[in-house]
Each structure stands twice: as structure tokens, then as C-alpha cells.
Amino acid sequence: MSTEKLLNGLRIIDLSMGWAGPLAARNLADMGAQVIKVESCTHFDWWRSWEATPEWIADNGAEKALPYLSVNRNKLDITLDLESPVGRQLFLDLVAKADAVIENYSGSVLPKLKLDYPHLKAVNNELVMVSMPAFGSTGPWASYRAYGSTVEHSSGLPHLTGSAHQPPTMQHVALGDAIGGLNGTAALLSALWHKQKTGQGQFVDLSQVECLIPLGAEGVLYQSVHNSPPPRTGNDHPDFAPHGVYPCQGEDQWILIQVMSEVQWRALQNLCTELSQFGNITDRLEQRSVLNKTLAQWTVKQQSSVLMKQLQGLGITAATLSNGIQLLEDEQHKARGYMQWLDRAFVGNQPHPSLPFRNGTDPAPLQNPAPTLGQHNKDVLGDILGLSDAELKKLAQEGVIGDKPKLPNVTT
């Protein structure tokens, strides 16, 4: 069975925005689930843009944001004004025909709209719902808004990374989103598996901060044992040297080198004779700063990809640090067909990473690029909910649905 067919027959309503929730839902769409993304013309996915302007709307800016494209492929898209009674009822009608709903609003949004789990369960008793607020659905922080960067800081991870002379160091501008999205996928699949086995739906309360905390388990253990936080040592390792990232030939070219045995060390010494002045691991740890400087003076003369292969051939852990363009040209990714290209209105042909897992030698083929705003209003509201063309036209005239962003009405 090919990967994209695994979840055929499942229907998931995607109320999420940004990176975390849309990524969780996209992974299921890639595996064959029908994922229906629900936006509105005034409250569209903020990964299309943080705010609308008349110029941005006229230029179709909502359809040109590349981050949005990457996490919404293989989905259908409808617009519904959930603040209107008609839009809310249509959403409930759609939920009644769905297997699951996923959302990552802050905790107060859906209860205000009367679209939280108790209200949705009333129309679909077997519904699975995964809620992904930053801090979970309970507790004093439940209603706080946050983004991936806020989540990473709240998890404590920045206190474990970087060097001692630096302030707390983030690993990514939005690491919390990517990790939360992967956990969201697992949560959806687990709940759907349970539903398949028992016929029972359930509410899954997923805290994005709690998804990140296990990544800092070593810091928690160190604190527990020593009653103090672990030292922040950057790329240095307490037991191994050399162990770090070193410059290579060219602008912003780097290579990771990790020597974790004396056999690897002797192989590196034979390749880089400048290291002959250093001895066993005790000596190397004592002279770590000089060692790193000496090694860097040698690596900066080397081409990163060539050196990586040389070191790997000698059994030494090494990897180039690739930028986006280099990833597109990477021979390993090319050999596995990792990047797939999809033609999309307004932006043309764009690369998309495949699912990182597959059933056979080839990746699951990607079917459709990310939808435009309201692209599937007729397909979903007409074909699934049975609305006529006249009813759809009336909904558009009333502003309940649409296919272009709108500036919100502002009253003074």
C-alpha cells in the first residue's frame, strides 16, 4: 500500500494557523486523509500575512507566502465567518460529517464562539479533537497567546544551549512550532487509532511547551543531581575533543567534526598533520581552545563537501552545514527523491519536502499544492453539505464565504 493511501476515508477539519497545527494536519493529508482547512476572509491564516492592506490584497499577497504553501499542501480550503450564526452552523454541519478537528487557537477563542469540544461533540459524539494551545487547555496560562519562540523560551531550552558568556540561546526562531506539529501528528493518529478500535472519540489537550520540555531532559536530570543548572558549553563536549563546527573554504561554509575515539583521532591526525602537537584525550581536553583554533586554521582551507567525504571515509563523524540552496542540490536528497515540485498559482513551481517516512523505495507522491483562499467552497459546501449554487451565491453576498481577504470593519 502506498503511503498516501494509508488514511483514505478520513476527514479532518483544520482550524489551525501558522506552523504547528497546519504541519500536524498536513502530515495526515500527505498520507491520504481529506483535510479541510477553514479560514475566513477577515481572519485568514496569519502565515499568509500578519496583516492585510489594500495594496497587499490587490496584489494577491495572500497567495504568495511561501511558508504557508509548505504546510498546507494536499488540503482543501474553505472560508466561513464563524462569528456569524450561518457560518457557525455550516461549520457544525461539516463537523458532523468529520472524523477529527485540529486547532491551535489561544484557549479563549473557541469557547467564545461556542465551538469548543462540548459544542462540537454535541453534533458528533465520535469526534476526535486535538487542541494545541501553547500552554495547554488548563492552568493559569491557558488563555495566553504564544508563538514558537515564546514556547521555546517557556520550555527552558535556551538555558541549555549556547556558551557560558552568551545570554540564553534559541535553537530556532520558532522551534516550538515544528516540535509541536510533529507531536500534533502523533496525537491525531493515536486518537484516530483509538477511535477505530473502540468507536469512541476524545478530546486531546496538547501543550506545545510540554512537547519541548523532554528535549531538555539532560538539564532536568543535571539540576536534580547537582542542585544547579548544567554549564553551557556551546559545541564543546565534556568527554570528547575535537567536537564542534569549523569554518571551511568560501563564505559561511562550515563542517561539523566529532572525534569520539582514539582510532578516529589518529585518522584525523594523519589527514591533518598540523594536529601532531596534540596527544591523548586528556591532553586534548586541556588544550581544547588551542586545538579548535588549529583545526579551524586547517579546515578553512578545505572545501566542506570534499572534506566531509574524506572524514567519513576514515570513520570520523562529519557533516557539512547546508543552506537552503545546498539542500536542493544535495546528492543524498536527490537520490531519494526527497524534494518534489508542485506548480502553484501566483508563485509557479515550488519545491516541497517529502514525508520523512515511506513504505517503499520511493516517497509518497504529493498530489496538490496549497489551496488558495476559499478555493474549495463549492466542493465542500456544495458537494459535502449539499448547498445549491444559489445558496452559495447568497453566502458570498452576505460575506459568510469568499475567496479574497477583506479588511475587518473597524468601528470608532
Side-chain angles (χ1 to χ4, degrees):
M1 183 185 295
S2 58
T3 305
E4 79 275 12
K5 301 297 185 183
L6 291 176
L7 301 183
N8 263 8
L10 286 176
R11 178 175 292 148
I12 298 165
I13 310 303
D14 181 9
L15 272 179
S16 64
M17 297 185 180
W19 189 358
L23 174 61
R26 187 207 73 184
N27 287 336
L28 273 68
D30 286 350
M31 290 186 281
Q34 183 188 66
V35 175
I36 303 172
K37 186 176 181 69
V38 180
E39 306 179 72
S40 82
C41 293
T42 54
H43 295 90
F44 44 82
D45 191 328
W46 49 264
W47 255 24
R48 293 183 182 272
S49 177
W50 287 98
E51 59 182 80
T53 64
E55 295 78 14
W56 175 81
I57 294 173
D59 191 44
N60 293 304
E63 308 305 344
K64 297 179 180 179
L66 298 184
Y68 169 84
L69 302 184
S70 69
V71 292
N72 289 290
R73 68 194 187 206
N74 284 337
K75 299 180 184 180
L76 306 177
D77 188 280
I78 67 171
T79 51
L80 285 174
D81 179 2
L82 298 179
E83 295 179 285
S84 74
V86 174
R88 179 181 179 276
Q89 185 57 53
L90 287 171
F91 180 75
L92 290 174
D93 293 343
L94 190 57
V95 168
K97 297 176 177 290
D99 295 285
V101 171
I102 184 168
E103 62 92 14
N104 63 347
Y105 288 112
S106 58
S108 62
V109 173
L110 292 184
K112 287 181 180 178
L113 295 172
K114 295 184 178 180
L115 291 175
D116 50 350
Y117 187 63
H119 288 90
L120 301 187
K121 186 179 179 182
V123 300
N124 185 344
N125 189 54
E126 296 181 0
L127 183 72
V128 165
M129 184 172 184
V130 174
S131 235
M132 297 178 59
F135 305 106
S137 299
T138 60
W141 288 17
S143 63
Y144 288 0
R145 293 184 64 183
Y147 301 99
S149 54
T150 329
V151 167
E152 183 179 351
H153 279 292
S154 300
S155 74
L157 285 183
H159 282 283
L160 303 176
T161 55
S163 301
H165 66 278
Q166 296 176 317
T169 305
M170 292 175 61
Q171 297 185 50
H172 188 279
V173 68
L175 179 67
D177 283 323
I179 302 301
L182 294 175
N183 279 268
T185 296
L188 265 174
L189 289 173
S190 298
L192 288 167
W193 177 263
H194 177 265
K195 176 182 176 179
Q196 184 184 58
K197 294 295 183 183
T198 66
Q200 298 174 351
Q202 59 182 305
F203 175 75
V204 180
D205 177 12
L206 186 147
S207 163
Q208 293 189 46
V209 169
E210 292 171 15
C211 294
L212 277 176
I213 289 175
L215 300 184
E218 78 283 0
V220 175
L221 291 173
Y222 191 99
Q223 179 82 37
S224 301
V225 172
H226 300 282
N227 199 32
S228 64
R232 299 168 62 235
T233 58
N235 291 319
D236 291 342
H237 192 284
D239 302 318
F240 305 114
H243 187 286
V245 177
Y246 304 89
C248 288
Q249 191 178 88
E251 183 179 357
D252 201 26
Q253 300 297 304
W254 302 85
I255 189 168
L256 167 77
I257 300 175
Q258 296 177 338
V259 172
M260 305 177 76
S261 72
E262 292 307 295
V263 172
Q264 291 178 337
W265 168 243
R266 288 190 292 271
L268 180 60
Q269 276 187 312
N270 291 334
L271 184 63
C272 173
T273 56
E274 289 87 338
L275 298 177
S276 60
Q277 61 181 296
F278 303 99
N280 62 20
I281 185 59
T282 302
D283 178 58
R284 299 199 302 275
L285 290 173
E286 290 177 352
Q287 299 193 71
R288 189 196 300 272
S289 178
V290 179
L291 171 63
N292 284 335
K293 183 177 180 181
T294 302
L295 181 56
Q297 290 172 343
W298 177 73
T299 60
V300 77
K301 302 173 186 177
Q302 315 297 319
Q303 186 178 344
S304 60
S305 59
V306 174
L307 180 58
M308 177 186 71
K309 292 179 180 179
Q310 283 183 302
L311 294 172
Q312 289 179 349
L314 295 172
I316 299 169
T317 302
T320 59
L321 276 65
S322 301
N323 59 32
I325 296 299
Q326 290 169 327
L327 286 175
L328 289 177
E329 298 299 323
D330 184 85
E331 63 179 7
Q332 175 66 16
H333 293 328
K334 281 188 170 182
R336 285 177 57 83
Y338 177 65
M339 288 293 181
Q340 300 184 49
W341 293 77
L342 295 173
D343 194 54
R344 168 60 153 67
F346 302 103
V347 293
N349 211 22
Q350 296 293 327
H352 289 259
S354 300
L355 278 173
F357 49 86
R358 56 187 69 180
N359 285 355
T361 56
D362 297 322
L366 303 182
Q367 304 296 327
N368 300 299
T372 58
L373 187 68
Q375 179 180 342
H376 302 99
N377 284 340
K378 180 175 173 57
D379 300 285
V380 174
L381 302 178
D383 295 346
I384 296 177
L385 296 187
L387 272 63
S388 66
D389 289 346
E391 288 173 311
L392 291 173
K393 183 177 180 180
K394 182 181 179 183
L395 289 173
Q397 291 171 342
E398 294 173 347
V400 177
I401 67 174
D403 58 10
K404 294 286 185 182
K406 294 180 181 178
L407 297 174
N409 294 323
V410 179
T411 58
T412 58

